[in-house]
Amino acid sequence: MRRPILAANWKMNKSAGEAQAFAEKLLPAIADASSLDVVIAPPFTALDRLGRALGGSAVELAAQNVNAEPAGAHTGEISVSMLLEFGCRYGIVGHSERRAIYGETNGQVAAKAKALQAAGIRPIVCVGETLEERDGAETLSVVGRQLDESLVGVAGKELVIAYEPVWAIGTGRVATPDIAQQVHAFVRERLGTLYGEVADSIRIQYGGSVKPDNAAELMAQSDIDGALVGGASLESDSFAQLVSIVARAVQA
Ligand code: PEP
């Protein structure tokens, strides 16, 4: 059985002080969350303070991005060893905002995921189609290509995939559970081609306008192993609700 994983992607939101205050409210509210992995990806500038505030709890830190090079002339970038200093256990790579706004390619995503794995940090590799691609019936070919090219040289062990239809991110438009399950099943099949039996243990998160009122139905799908959450992860109350919804889905 795959252990569910709920991850918060705060994007470019929250100061270090706000991150600390969030942790202080969240931790007492999720004291019974032992049946899933809970992860928070704050901005780099809040990693230190959030890590201290979470210290001793089971909630783990993630990076929202990383540079694949170990060090050197890369102004404005952060390396894997810098993330390790803050105790990051996960790293999001290939988020659609990085692909669309910063031109991140599948090849770069693969290089970042490999660099993370070499340091023992688990990559969360994001894939997903745009609305235009969905309307053009290209979802599976786009997602398939993203997987094939973003996972070159990436090990299946400890890998996490996030399927995030771009049209559902931050829009309030969530994929129906059936649509999400169809794509997740396809992703697992493709992972089977790439990794064989290991594919059964790879966790696939759904992302795109996940909220407390739609999470239970999504989590009930057989190939959905958790969620990557933007907007609803910014308030500790709604994130704590999501933690208990995912925990209940596991027990069901
Ligand atoms: C995301 O940024 O990965 C995301 C899924 O955002 P939201 O939950 O706000 O759609």
Side-chain angles (χ1 to χ4, degrees):
M1 189 174 163
R2 294 178 293 272
R3 186 174 164 83
I5 173 168
L6 176 67
N9 174 16
W10 284 354
K11 312 189 185 191
M12 199 168 68
N13 295 294
K14 290 198 194 293
S15 65
E18 288 167 341
Q20 179 179 340
F22 179 101
E24 287 166 357
K25 267 189 83 183
L26 179 74
L27 290 180
I30 61 163
D32 59 346
S34 55
S35 54
L36 74 162
D37 289 340
V38 180
V39 178
I40 302 177
F44 292 129
T45 48
L47 279 172
D48 184 37
R49 193 100 158 247
L50 181 62
R52 288 172 203 270
L54 294 173
S57 79
V59 180
E60 310 223 65
L61 283 181
Q64 295 179 16
N65 184 29
V66 68
N67 191 289
E69 297 301 322
H74 297 282
T75 301
E77 295 290 295
I78 301 281
S79 72
V80 165
S81 61
M82 293 167 184
L83 298 180
L84 278 179
E85 273 192 294
F86 293 106
C88 282
R89 294 281 169 263
Y90 292 86
I92 299 172
V93 291
H95 190 277
S96 63
E97 287 152 17
R98 296 218 54 87
R99 291 176 184 268
I101 306 171
Y102 302 103
E104 203 159 291
T105 63
N106 289 328
Q108 287 169 324
V109 175
K112 291 177 183 205
K114 275 192 290 185
L116 288 170
Q117 285 187 330
I121 300 178
R122 298 165 177 147
I124 298 176
V125 176
C126 302
V127 295
E129 81 286 5
T130 63
L131 185 58
E132 206 183 353
E133 289 161 346
R134 170 154 287 272
D135 288 345
E138 292 174 82
T139 298
L140 301 188
S141 61
V142 167
V143 170
R145 189 166 57 247
Q146 286 175 332
L147 289 169
D148 291 348
E149 295 179 7
S150 300
L151 296 175
V152 173
V154 177
K157 192 166 177 282
E158 308 281 21
L159 175 65
V160 179
I161 302 293
Y163 167 60
E164 300 203 302
V166 178
W167 47 270
I169 296 181
T171 59
R173 265 189 75 176
V174 67
T176 63
D178 278 355
I179 288 182
Q181 167 57 26
Q182 271 168 28
V183 183
H184 278 237
F186 167 79
V187 169
R188 191 161 320 277
E189 196 183 305
R190 196 65 153 234
L191 292 173
T193 312
L194 296 170
Y195 297 115
E197 282 179 9
V198 176
D200 288 335
S201 64
I202 298 176
R203 295 175 295 178
I204 309 173
Q205 298 175 296
Y206 171 78
S209 296
V210 173
K211 309 256 180 296
D213 62 4
N214 60 28
E217 267 194 298
L218 287 160
M219 294 307 124
Q221 305 303 311
S222 57
D223 286 294
I224 299 185
D225 307 313
L228 179 56
V229 186
S233 73
L234 291 171
E235 295 298 331
S236 60
D237 289 349
S238 57
F239 192 60
Q241 282 180 53
L242 286 171
V243 170
S244 61
I245 290 165
V246 177
R248 276 204 303 274
V250 184
Q251 283 143 18

